[in-house]
């Protein structure tokens, strides 16, 4: 079955102004359940825009986003927010963890917000941290962790509420090659383990080649390869 379908997505910024940018010109994509798709594009091509639209953080000017079989077009803000929280996990280039909270707390909090009990949330947080090899950092704040550890915690947080789709925007873009490899391997193992679908933007063609397939964003269109 299909986890995500994008149908003819169009997006223009600053329409009608001299600064108008036509970023997406009719992008279509289908991500099957359990499929991991690489989104490859040069900087400025519109990767973040496309991921934000797919993840219901932004709306398209035209086209449809179908998530878990449900057409998200025209939903109220409240329903879109609810669908995003239930269905989508995000990982960015920078971890965006809450600095005042420990690694475990950063994974527990979104679960509490989702109605999970404290004990269950803690248990899940520890299991996630363990699965990416940073359980020993559970009680540390982000500032006490390395970049690779922070990013692995961010991956755990994205999966805290068991989304059906993971969207990642250059998740290893800030890291040196060795650390990048560790984070990517941990992310892929966790995604495969949970049977999650993922759309992962990367500049790195070596990483892209390890996913199920690649799509390229070029001149506002999505093309295979
Ligand atoms: P990428 O993630 O591939 O680097 P983005 O989606 O961030 O690309 O941006 C694509 C283009 O749209 C860029 O030219 C960027 O400057 C422009 N852009 C992105 N967001 C906005 C915005 N909110 N307002 C105006 N222009 C924007
Ligand atoms: P990235 O390329 O890592 O996504 P950016 O610095 O391009 O990061 O964008 C960060 C944020 O700023 C995004 O939310 C994007 O939509 C917004 N943005 C990017 N370019 C512009 C722009 N020219 N005008 C206004 N907002 C922009």
């Amino acid at each position: 079955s299909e986890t995500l379908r994008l149908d003819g997505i169009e997006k223009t910024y600053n329409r009608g102004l001299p600064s108008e940018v036509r970023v997406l010109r009719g992008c279509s994509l289908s991500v099957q359940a359990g499929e991991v798709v690489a989104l490859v594009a040069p900087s400025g091509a519109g990767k973040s825009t496309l991921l934000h639209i797919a993840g219901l953080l932004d709306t398209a000017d035209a086209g449809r986003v179908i998530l878990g079989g449900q057409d998200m077009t025209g939903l109220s803000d409240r329903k879109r927010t609810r669908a995003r929280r239930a269905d989508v996990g995000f990982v960015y280039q920078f971890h965006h963890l809450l600095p005042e909270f420990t690694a475990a707390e950063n994974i527990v909090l979104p679960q509490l917000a989702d109605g999970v009990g404290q004990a269950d949330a803690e248990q899940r947080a520890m299991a996630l941290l363990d699965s990416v090899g940073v359980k020993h950092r559970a009680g540390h704040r982000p500032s006490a962790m390395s970049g690779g550890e922070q990013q692995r915690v961010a991956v755990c947080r994205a999966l805290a509420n068991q989304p059906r789709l993971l969207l990642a925007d250059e998740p290893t873009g800030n890291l040196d090659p060795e650390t990048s490899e560790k984070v990517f391997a941990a992310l892929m193992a966790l995604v495969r383990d949970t049977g999650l679908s993922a759309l992962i933007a990367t500049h790195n063609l070596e990483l892209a080649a390890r996913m199920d397939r690649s799509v390229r964003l070029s001149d506002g269109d999505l093309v295979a390869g």
Side-chain angles (χ1 to χ4, degrees), residues 13-14 21 23 41-50 169:
Y13 291 113
N14 302 337
V21 206
V23 181
S43 188
K47 269 177 301 171
S48 305
T49 300
L50 188 72
D169 196 348

Side-chain angles (χ1 to χ4, degrees), residues 150-165:
Q150 291 167 345
Q151 204 57 347
R152 279 181 279 168
V153 175
V155 169
C156 295
R157 188 207 28 204
L159 300 195
N161 287 338
Q162 300 177 270
R164 59 172 90 225
L165 175 67

Side-chain angles (χ1 to χ4, degrees), residues 8-26 46 49-50 53 58-62 220:
I9 298 292
E10 297 178 24
K11 184 73 174 182
T12 298
Y13 291 113
N14 302 337
R15 185 184 292 283
L17 299 175
S19 54
E20 176 172 304
V21 206
R22 198 167 162 211
V23 181
L24 306 175
R25 300 165 180 259
T49 300
L50 188 72
I53 290 171
D58 196 359
T59 52
D61 301 330

